[in-house]
Amino acid sequence: MSETRLAQERLGEIAFPDQAIEPTAPDGRRSVLATGLTLLAICVALFIMWQTVFSLLIVFAGVLFAAFLDAAARALRPVLPLNRTLRLTLVLLLVAAATALGIGWGAAKLPEQTRLLLKVMDTQLDILQKHLLTYGVDLLGPEWGRDFAQWLVSDQGRFLRHAQFVLGGASTILTGALVVVFLGILFAFDPTSYRESLVMLAKQSYRPRMRAVMDEMGNVLRFWFVGQLIRIALMTLCVWLALYLIGLPGPFVLGLQAGLSNFIPYLGPIVAAIPIALVAMPLGVSLLVWAILVYTVIQSIEGYVIGPLIQRQAVETPPAWVLVAIVIFGALFGVMGIALAMPLVAIGRVAIIRFYVEDYLGDTLGQATSAEGKSRREA
Protein backbone atom coordinates (compact mmCIF):
# COMPACT_ATOMS: atom_id res chain seq x y z
CA MET A 1 0.00 0.00 0.00
CA SER A 2 2.78 2.36 0.89
CA GLU A 3 4.70 1.50 -2.29
CA THR A 4 1.59 2.27 -4.37
CA ARG A 5 1.19 5.70 -2.66
CA LEU A 6 4.88 6.54 -3.18
CA ALA A 7 4.58 5.68 -6.87
CA GLN A 8 1.50 7.91 -7.20
CA GLU A 9 3.35 10.84 -5.60
CA ARG A 10 6.27 10.41 -7.96
CA LEU A 11 3.94 10.29 -10.97
CA GLY A 12 2.25 13.46 -9.71
CA GLU A 13 5.58 15.30 -9.48
CA ILE A 14 6.48 14.27 -13.02
CA ALA A 15 3.07 15.15 -14.45
CA PHE A 16 2.68 18.44 -12.61
CA PRO A 17 6.15 19.98 -12.09
CA ASP A 18 4.74 23.41 -11.08
CA GLN A 19 2.93 21.83 -8.17
CA ALA A 20 6.17 20.11 -7.09
CA ILE A 21 8.02 23.40 -6.56
CA GLU A 22 5.05 25.38 -5.28
CA PRO A 23 5.93 25.09 -1.57
CA THR A 24 9.22 26.92 -2.11
CA ALA A 25 7.63 29.88 -3.90
CA PRO A 26 6.06 31.54 -0.86
CA ASP A 27 9.45 31.43 0.90
CA GLY A 28 11.07 33.34 -1.98
CA ARG A 29 8.30 35.91 -1.98
CA ARG A 30 8.62 36.32 1.78
CA SER A 31 12.37 36.81 1.42
CA VAL A 32 11.91 39.53 -1.18
CA LEU A 33 9.20 41.16 0.91
CA ALA A 34 11.38 41.08 4.04
CA THR A 35 14.29 42.67 2.14
CA GLY A 36 12.03 45.38 0.76
CA LEU A 37 10.55 46.15 4.18
CA THR A 38 14.03 46.28 5.70
CA LEU A 39 15.22 48.76 3.09
CA LEU A 40 12.08 50.82 3.58
CA ALA A 41 12.59 50.85 7.34
CA ILE A 42 16.22 51.97 6.89
CA CYS A 43 15.15 54.78 4.55
CA VAL A 44 12.44 55.92 6.98
CA ALA A 45 14.90 55.82 9.88
CA LEU A 46 17.46 57.88 7.94
CA PHE A 47 14.78 60.40 6.95
CA ILE A 48 13.63 60.74 10.57
CA MET A 49 17.24 61.16 11.72
CA TRP A 50 17.81 63.85 9.12
CA GLN A 51 14.68 65.73 10.16
CA THR A 52 15.56 65.52 13.86
CA VAL A 53 19.32 65.94 13.57
CA PHE A 54 19.42 68.99 15.86
CA SER A 55 17.63 67.08 18.59
CA LEU A 56 19.99 64.13 18.12
CA LEU A 57 22.98 66.46 18.49
CA ILE A 58 21.45 67.79 21.70
CA VAL A 59 21.12 64.21 22.97
CA PHE A 60 24.73 63.52 22.05
CA ALA A 61 25.81 66.67 23.91
CA GLY A 62 23.95 65.27 26.93
CA VAL A 63 25.93 62.04 26.56
CA LEU A 64 29.15 64.11 26.55
CA PHE A 65 28.11 65.89 29.74
CA ALA A 66 27.31 62.54 31.32
CA ALA A 67 30.79 61.33 30.32
CA PHE A 68 32.29 64.33 32.10
CA LEU A 69 30.28 63.71 35.26
CA ASP A 70 31.23 60.05 35.22
CA ALA A 71 34.92 60.90 34.76
CA ALA A 72 34.79 63.33 37.71
CA ALA A 73 33.08 60.72 39.90
CA ARG A 74 35.72 58.14 38.95
CA ALA A 75 38.47 60.63 39.82
CA LEU A 76 37.00 61.08 43.31
CA ARG A 77 36.86 57.33 43.99
CA PRO A 78 40.45 57.03 45.37
CA VAL A 79 39.94 60.14 47.53
CA LEU A 80 36.40 59.60 48.85
CA PRO A 81 35.40 56.02 49.73
CA LEU A 82 31.73 56.64 48.92
CA ASN A 83 29.34 54.91 46.58
CA ARG A 84 28.97 56.20 43.06
CA THR A 85 25.67 57.99 43.64
CA LEU A 86 27.08 60.10 46.48
CA ARG A 87 30.18 60.94 44.48
CA LEU A 88 28.07 62.02 41.50
CA THR A 89 25.92 64.17 43.79
CA LEU A 90 29.03 65.84 45.17
CA VAL A 91 30.32 66.48 41.64
CA LEU A 92 27.02 68.08 40.66
CA LEU A 93 27.10 70.33 43.73
CA LEU A 94 30.66 71.41 42.94
CA VAL A 95 29.79 72.10 39.29
CA ALA A 96 26.71 74.09 40.32
CA ALA A 97 28.72 76.14 42.84
CA ALA A 98 31.48 76.85 40.32
CA THR A 99 28.91 77.87 37.69
CA ALA A 100 27.14 80.20 40.12
CA LEU A 101 30.43 81.83 41.14
CA GLY A 102 31.49 82.21 37.51
CA ILE A 103 28.17 83.81 36.53
CA GLY A 104 28.26 86.13 39.54
CA TRP A 105 31.82 87.22 38.86
CA GLY A 106 31.33 87.48 35.11
CA ALA A 107 28.15 89.57 35.43
CA ALA A 108 30.15 92.20 37.31
CA LYS A 109 33.34 92.13 35.21
CA LEU A 110 32.69 90.92 31.69
CA PRO A 111 30.03 93.30 30.27
CA GLU A 112 32.19 96.42 30.55
CA GLN A 113 35.26 94.69 29.10
CA THR A 114 33.14 93.24 26.30
CA ARG A 115 31.70 96.66 25.40
CA LEU A 116 35.18 98.16 25.30
CA LEU A 117 36.57 95.40 23.12
CA LEU A 118 33.62 95.54 20.72
CA LYS A 119 34.05 99.30 20.27
CA VAL A 120 37.76 98.90 19.59
CA MET A 121 37.15 96.08 17.10
CA ASP A 122 34.40 98.12 15.44
CA THR A 123 36.73 101.08 14.97
CA GLN A 124 39.54 98.94 13.60
CA LEU A 125 37.22 97.24 11.13
CA ASP A 126 36.17 100.69 9.87
CA ILE A 127 39.81 101.65 9.41
CA LEU A 128 40.56 98.37 7.66
CA GLN A 129 37.60 98.87 5.35
CA LYS A 130 38.81 102.36 4.38
CA HIS A 131 42.30 101.06 3.62
CA LEU A 132 40.87 98.30 1.45
CA LEU A 133 38.63 100.76 -0.40
CA THR A 134 41.71 102.75 -1.45
CA TYR A 135 42.78 99.64 -3.36
CA GLY A 136 39.31 99.09 -4.77
CA VAL A 137 38.46 96.18 -2.46
CA ASP A 138 35.06 96.43 -0.75
CA LEU A 139 35.55 93.53 1.64
CA LEU A 140 32.67 94.21 4.02
CA GLY A 141 30.13 95.79 1.68
CA PRO A 142 28.28 99.09 1.98
CA GLU A 143 25.62 97.77 4.37
CA TRP A 144 27.55 95.20 6.33
CA GLY A 145 26.02 96.05 9.70
CA ARG A 146 29.01 97.47 11.55
CA ASP A 147 29.04 98.69 15.16
CA PHE A 148 28.74 95.40 17.04
CA ALA A 149 28.47 97.32 20.28
CA GLN A 150 25.00 98.58 19.31
CA TRP A 151 23.66 95.30 20.61
CA LEU A 152 25.05 96.10 24.05
CA VAL A 153 24.81 99.90 24.38
CA SER A 154 22.19 102.59 24.20
CA ASP A 155 20.64 102.12 20.76
CA GLN A 156 17.27 101.09 22.15
CA GLY A 157 15.41 101.37 18.87
CA ARG A 158 17.68 98.90 17.15
CA PHE A 159 17.56 96.60 20.14
CA LEU A 160 13.76 96.65 20.21
CA ARG A 161 13.58 95.96 16.49
CA HIS A 162 15.67 92.85 17.02
CA ALA A 163 14.16 91.90 20.38
CA GLN A 164 12.20 88.98 18.95
CA PHE A 165 15.30 87.56 17.30
CA VAL A 166 17.42 88.00 20.42
CA LEU A 167 14.84 86.52 22.78
CA GLY A 168 14.12 83.64 20.41
CA GLY A 169 17.78 82.78 20.09
CA ALA A 170 18.37 83.11 23.83
CA SER A 171 15.41 80.90 24.67
CA THR A 172 16.59 78.26 22.18
CA ILE A 173 20.08 78.24 23.67
CA LEU A 174 18.75 78.16 27.23
CA THR A 175 16.34 75.33 26.44
CA GLY A 176 19.06 73.32 24.72
CA ALA A 177 21.44 73.86 27.64
CA LEU A 178 18.84 72.70 30.15
CA VAL A 179 18.07 69.61 28.08
CA VAL A 180 21.79 68.78 27.85
CA VAL A 181 22.25 69.19 31.60
CA PHE A 182 19.25 67.06 32.58
CA LEU A 183 20.05 64.38 30.01
CA GLY A 184 23.62 64.28 31.26
CA ILE A 185 22.47 63.88 34.86
CA LEU A 186 20.04 61.09 33.97
CA PHE A 187 22.59 59.24 31.85
CA ALA A 188 25.32 59.61 34.48
CA PHE A 189 23.30 58.25 37.40
CA ASP A 190 22.20 55.08 35.60
CA PRO A 191 24.42 54.45 32.56
CA THR A 192 24.06 50.65 32.66
CA SER A 193 20.31 50.60 32.07
CA TYR A 194 20.56 53.00 29.12
CA ARG A 195 23.38 50.99 27.61
CA GLU A 196 21.49 47.72 28.03
CA SER A 197 18.41 49.22 26.37
CA LEU A 198 20.50 49.53 23.21
CA VAL A 199 22.39 46.26 23.65
CA MET A 200 19.15 44.29 23.79
CA LEU A 201 18.43 45.27 20.17
CA ALA A 202 21.29 43.03 19.03
CA LYS A 203 21.27 39.24 18.84
CA GLN A 204 21.89 37.54 22.14
CA SER A 205 25.15 35.99 20.95
CA TYR A 206 26.44 39.40 19.83
CA ARG A 207 25.47 41.37 22.92
CA PRO A 208 28.77 40.94 24.83
CA ARG A 209 30.66 42.31 21.82
CA MET A 210 28.32 45.30 21.49
CA ARG A 211 28.55 45.95 25.23
CA ALA A 212 32.36 45.97 25.07
CA VAL A 213 32.41 48.37 22.10
CA MET A 214 29.98 50.76 23.79
CA ASP A 215 32.16 50.75 26.92
CA GLU A 216 35.15 51.62 24.73
CA MET A 217 33.18 54.50 23.20
CA GLY A 218 32.40 55.74 26.70
CA ASN A 219 36.09 55.71 27.59
CA VAL A 220 36.89 57.70 24.44
CA LEU A 221 34.27 60.33 25.27
CA ARG A 222 35.48 60.63 28.87
CA PHE A 223 39.12 61.10 27.92
CA TRP A 224 38.26 63.49 25.10
CA PHE A 225 35.93 65.76 27.09
CA VAL A 226 38.14 65.98 30.18
CA GLY A 227 41.15 66.62 27.94
CA GLN A 228 39.31 69.42 26.18
CA LEU A 229 38.40 71.07 29.49
CA ILE A 230 42.03 70.94 30.61
CA ARG A 231 43.22 72.43 27.32
CA ILE A 232 40.63 75.22 27.46
CA ALA A 233 41.58 76.11 31.03
CA LEU A 234 45.32 76.13 30.28
CA MET A 235 44.91 78.16 27.09
CA THR A 236 42.65 80.71 28.80
CA LEU A 237 45.05 81.17 31.70
CA CYS A 238 48.20 81.45 29.55
CA VAL A 239 46.73 83.90 27.02
CA TRP A 240 45.13 85.96 29.79
CA LEU A 241 48.41 86.36 31.68
CA ALA A 242 50.44 87.00 28.51
CA LEU A 243 48.11 89.70 27.17
CA TYR A 244 47.89 91.27 30.62
CA LEU A 245 51.68 91.49 30.86
CA ILE A 246 52.06 93.18 27.46
CA GLY A 247 49.31 95.69 28.35
CA LEU A 248 46.45 94.71 26.05
CA PRO A 249 42.96 95.85 27.18
CA GLY A 250 40.39 93.22 28.16
CA PRO A 251 42.91 90.40 28.56
CA PHE A 252 40.53 88.03 30.32
CA VAL A 253 37.84 88.21 27.62
CA LEU A 254 40.45 87.72 24.90
CA GLY A 255 41.99 84.82 26.83
CA LEU A 256 38.58 83.25 27.40
CA GLN A 257 37.63 83.35 23.74
CA ALA A 258 41.06 81.97 22.84
CA GLY A 259 40.56 79.09 25.27
CA LEU A 260 37.03 78.29 24.15
CA SER A 261 38.17 78.32 20.53
CA ASN A 262 40.20 75.17 21.25
CA PHE A 263 36.93 73.24 21.45
CA ILE A 264 36.97 73.47 17.65
CA PRO A 265 40.34 72.05 16.54
CA TYR A 266 42.46 73.65 13.80
CA LEU A 267 39.93 76.30 12.75
CA GLY A 268 39.07 77.70 16.20
CA PRO A 269 42.56 78.95 17.17
CA ILE A 270 42.91 80.74 13.82
CA VAL A 271 39.61 82.56 14.29
CA ALA A 272 40.52 83.46 17.89
CA ALA A 273 43.58 85.39 16.69
CA ILE A 274 41.41 87.93 14.82
CA PRO A 275 39.96 89.73 17.92
CA ILE A 276 43.42 89.85 19.52
CA ALA A 277 44.87 91.48 16.41
CA LEU A 278 41.99 93.99 16.11
CA VAL A 279 42.32 95.05 19.75
CA ALA A 280 46.12 95.44 19.47
CA MET A 281 46.06 97.42 16.19
CA PRO A 282 45.32 100.90 17.64
CA LEU A 283 48.06 100.50 20.26
CA GLY A 284 50.89 100.47 17.74
CA VAL A 285 52.70 98.12 15.42
CA SER A 286 55.10 96.88 18.10
CA LEU A 287 52.29 95.85 20.44
CA LEU A 288 50.42 94.23 17.55
CA VAL A 289 53.48 92.17 16.67
CA TRP A 290 54.02 91.21 20.30
CA ALA A 291 50.37 90.17 20.75
CA ILE A 292 50.34 88.01 17.61
CA LEU A 293 53.75 86.53 18.42
CA VAL A 294 52.81 85.67 22.01
CA TYR A 295 49.51 84.13 20.95
CA THR A 296 51.19 82.12 18.18
CA VAL A 297 53.85 80.77 20.54
CA ILE A 298 51.29 79.79 23.19
CA GLN A 299 48.98 78.22 20.64
CA SER A 300 51.85 76.29 19.03
CA ILE A 301 53.03 74.89 22.36
CA GLU A 302 49.48 73.93 23.26
CA GLY A 303 48.69 72.43 19.87
CA TYR A 304 51.89 70.47 19.29
CA VAL A 305 53.00 69.58 22.84
CA ILE A 306 50.35 69.94 25.54
CA GLY A 307 47.35 68.89 23.44
CA PRO A 308 48.81 65.58 22.19
CA LEU A 309 50.03 64.73 25.70
CA ILE A 310 46.58 65.30 27.16
CA GLN A 311 44.62 63.62 24.37
CA ARG A 312 46.82 60.55 23.92
CA GLN A 313 44.45 58.60 26.20
CA ALA A 314 41.66 58.95 23.66
CA VAL A 315 41.51 57.28 20.27
CA GLU A 316 43.76 59.22 17.93
CA THR A 317 42.10 60.39 14.74
CA PRO A 318 44.07 61.57 11.69
CA PRO A 319 43.97 65.40 11.53
CA ALA A 320 42.79 65.47 7.91
CA TRP A 321 39.69 63.41 8.73
CA VAL A 322 38.90 65.69 11.68
CA LEU A 323 39.16 68.78 9.46
CA VAL A 324 36.99 67.18 6.78
CA ALA A 325 34.40 66.27 9.42
CA ILE A 326 34.39 69.83 10.79
CA VAL A 327 33.80 71.30 7.33
CA ILE A 328 31.06 68.80 6.41
CA PHE A 329 29.28 68.86 9.78
CA GLY A 330 29.48 72.65 9.86
CA ALA A 331 27.92 72.94 6.40
CA LEU A 332 25.17 70.46 7.27
CA PHE A 333 24.38 71.23 10.91
CA GLY A 334 25.86 74.65 11.69
CA VAL A 335 27.60 75.55 14.94
CA MET A 336 26.43 72.41 16.75
CA GLY A 337 27.92 70.25 14.02
CA ILE A 338 31.26 72.06 14.24
CA ALA A 339 31.41 71.79 18.04
CA LEU A 340 30.56 68.08 18.13
CA ALA A 341 32.44 66.96 15.01
CA MET A 342 35.53 65.79 16.90
CA PRO A 343 33.80 63.46 19.43
CA LEU A 344 31.49 62.13 16.73
CA VAL A 345 34.47 61.25 14.56
CA ALA A 346 36.22 59.63 17.56
CA ILE A 347 33.37 57.25 18.44
CA GLY A 348 32.56 56.71 14.76
CA ARG A 349 36.11 55.52 14.24
CA VAL A 350 35.73 53.05 17.10
CA ALA A 351 32.47 51.72 15.64
CA ILE A 352 33.92 51.31 12.14
CA ILE A 353 37.05 49.53 13.36
CA ARG A 354 35.28 47.18 15.75
CA PHE A 355 32.06 46.37 13.87
CA TYR A 356 33.11 46.65 10.22
CA VAL A 357 36.87 46.09 9.99
CA GLU A 358 37.19 43.43 12.68
CA ASP A 359 33.79 41.70 12.77
CA TYR A 360 32.60 42.00 9.17
CA LEU A 361 35.87 42.00 7.23
CA GLY A 362 37.74 39.84 9.74
CA ASP A 363 40.78 42.12 9.59
CA THR A 364 43.17 42.22 12.56
CA LEU A 365 44.15 45.85 11.89
CA GLY A 366 41.63 47.09 14.44
CA GLN A 367 42.92 44.68 17.05
CA ALA A 368 46.49 45.85 16.46
CA THR A 369 45.38 49.47 16.78
CA SER A 370 43.58 48.69 20.02
CA ALA A 371 46.64 46.92 21.44
CA GLU A 372 48.89 49.83 20.44
CA GLY A 373 46.58 52.35 22.10
CA LYS A 374 46.44 50.22 25.25
CA SER A 375 50.25 50.01 25.41
CA ARG A 376 50.49 53.79 25.05
CA ARG A 377 48.03 54.33 27.89
CA GLU A 378 49.94 51.95 30.12
CA ALA A 379 53.19 53.74 29.30
Side-chain angles (χ1 to χ4, degrees), residues 97 120 267 284 295 316 330 346:
V120 173
L267 298 180
Y295 175 77
E316 295 183 1

Side-chain angles (χ1 to χ4, degrees), residues 213-234:
V213 174
M214 292 186 69
D215 289 341
E216 184 179 357
M217 290 179 178
N219 291 331
V220 170
L221 292 181
R222 278 194 297 270
F223 286 125
W224 179 85
F225 194 81
V226 173
Q228 285 297 103
L229 291 181
I230 295 174
R231 295 178 65 181
I232 289 172
L234 289 176

